[in-house]
Amino acid sequence: CATGFGDCDGSAANGCEVNVRTTDVNNCGGCGLRCSFANAASSCAMGACAMGACNAGFADCDGNPANGCEVNVTSDNGNCGVCGTACAAGRVCSAGTCQTSCGTGLTACSGACVNTANDPANCNMCGSACASVTNATSVCASSACRFVCDGSFADCDRNAANGCEVNTSNNSSNCGTCGRACVAGANQIATCSGGACNNVCATGFADCDGNPANGCEVNLLSTPANCGACGNVCAAAQGCFVGVCRAYVAGALAPMAMADFRNACTTVGSTVLATTGDDVLYTGSIGFSMPFYNATFTQFQADTNGNVQLGTTGASSLSNSCALSGATRTNILALLWDDMNLSRSGATGLHRICTVTTGAAPNREWVVTYEEVPYFTSSTPVTSAATYSSIVRETTGAITYQYLLNAFNASATVGLRGTTAAQTAVPMTPACNTVATLDAQQLQFTLTP
């Protein structure tokens, strides 16, 4: 709504129909904010309530508008007829004048002449005071106690015991009036302010198209066209990593001490995903939410052919793509993508794929290890079983490939591929389908702006 207006009836058809800054005493400064003063008229000007003239028989003797016209000058012995006029000893205030006795229809209660049909301190009889009620003003009408809710408060549950329990100015289930619930759209949080529904986007989402019908339709944490803010477009090679445009860059192949190799299969708490299989995917858990280019993943699928596919919708492929930009599969970690076979006949060794997540948030590390996995081709000796791992670090997003033994790159692809063809990171060495011994070597992929 524009400033100064409110959608007080909850109908989109007539828009923001109430000007809350004018004279509407039921919506003064906001929907459902009612102007109310005890025993007095009220008005609204520029969104603020003001007390008007006192009702007949009442006066504002203390000058405090918070309690309205607090004195009944028709029966108050200290303010009889007007504020400050006190009746002498032995006389009572009756119908606004000091008398020797109460007039017709009035009852003398503790020295004051009152109408027990409408006096909240002596309702129906002397001394029978109407009980105070939460967020309300107690009144006596026709000799029975009732209450009138204060301001924007309302008795929505119709339970006198808890009074006017709901503030309709900020209650999203009773916004502006009882029963009017604010309904959140997609990726929104329903809120009520000033008696009007005003939904806000959930953290990480935004309404970039300005269409209330589809709510907050954009995920700012993973949408390259609106990364971190509506209209912030990432470059083609970048993905949107938790609201920041970034891309993976492959470092140079570097020596690795054998003792530094991370083997998930020998780590306490690890899971063995597979010990047999050819051209098969095995599903596992990453252990934390992993941002990767245009999406965030918590699960993965390990392909027996030496690549890890993020998510659970992958497909095994024995034919590696040299140009990862042309690969039909997306969001993959190509550790040593080649035609491999856990079930190769005659091969010796453990032949297994394992995973483990170590450490504590936000510094966890997810490790996948291919341990002694045989190559499929008959031209490769059955004893040439490769062992290699990938390590993903939660805090930095950095990815490391480590190669231990018999990891030679005669016909393999190594690198990363995101959602689109431009989102790739491929090292200069080892080159695709080029003989290169990778034993005791490692590769680092880091995120850069």
Side-chain angles (χ1 to χ4, degrees), residues 2 65 94 108 122 155 161 182-183 246 324 334 347 360 423 447:
S94 179
N122 301 278
D155 177 22
C182 298
V183 180
R246 307 177 78 182
L324 282 174
Q423 296 170 341
L447 277 171

Side-chain angles (χ1 to χ4, degrees), residues 104-120:
T104 303
L106 300 179
T107 302
C109 294
S110 301
C113 296
V114 300
N115 185 342
T116 58
N118 59 22
D119 187 349

Side-chain angles (χ1 to χ4, degrees), residues 198-405:
N198 181 29
N199 295 341
V200 297
C201 292
T203 301
F205 290 88
D207 177 19
C208 292
D209 62 4
N211 179 10
N214 60 3
C216 300
E217 77 287 351
V218 172
N219 187 334
L220 298 177
L221 303 181
S222 60
T223 306
N226 301 281
C227 189
C230 293
N232 185 39
V233 181
C234 296
Q238 295 178 320
C240 186
F241 290 79
V242 197
V244 180
C245 292
R246 307 177 78 182
Y248 275 106
V249 175
L253 193 65
M256 175 195 70
M258 301 288 262
D260 292 336
F261 181 74
R262 296 286 297 278
N263 190 337
C265 297
T266 59
T267 302
V268 174
S270 66
T271 298
V272 178
L273 296 175
T275 56
T276 61
D278 181 32
D279 301 333
V280 181
L281 293 175
Y282 294 95
T283 301
S285 173
I286 294 173
F288 53 85
S289 294
M290 174 188 171
F292 190 75
Y293 287 103
N294 301 347
T296 299
F297 300 93
T298 58
Q299 291 183 290
F300 71 96
Q301 291 179 308
D303 188 351
T304 54
N305 294 307
N307 65 82
V308 174
Q309 303 178 44
L310 302 176
T312 57
T313 58
S316 179
S317 176
L318 58 88
S319 299
N320 59 299
S321 298
C322 273
L324 282 174
S325 58
T328 57
R329 290 173 298 161
T330 59
N331 299 312
I332 59 174
L333 312 182
L335 286 73
L336 195 67
W337 186 4
D338 203 349
D339 189 5
M340 311 188 87
N341 182 5
L342 282 172
S343 301
R344 183 177 177 185
S345 177
T348 58
L350 294 171
H351 319 322
R352 56 185 179 175
I353 303 173
C354 308
T355 183
V356 70
T357 301
T358 62
N363 300 305
R364 290 169 288 195
E365 294 184 345
W366 165 50
V367 184
V368 176
T369 298
Y370 288 75
E371 186 176 45
E372 298 181 355
V373 178
Y375 292 86
F376 180 86
T377 176
S378 59
S379 62
T380 305
V382 293
T383 56
S384 296
T387 298
Y388 47 94
S389 294
S390 65
I391 307 163
V392 177
R393 293 169 176 84
E394 180 182 19
T395 303
T396 63
I399 300 173
T400 303
Y401 292 170
Q402 294 183 330
Y403 304 93
L404 187 62
L405 297 171

Side-chain angles (χ1 to χ4, degrees), residues 36-41 51 53-55 58-59 65-71 137:
S36 178
F37 297 91
N39 308 311
M51 188 176 78
C54 292
N55 296 342
F58 291 87
N67 60 3
C69 297
E70 79 285 354
V71 174
T137 301

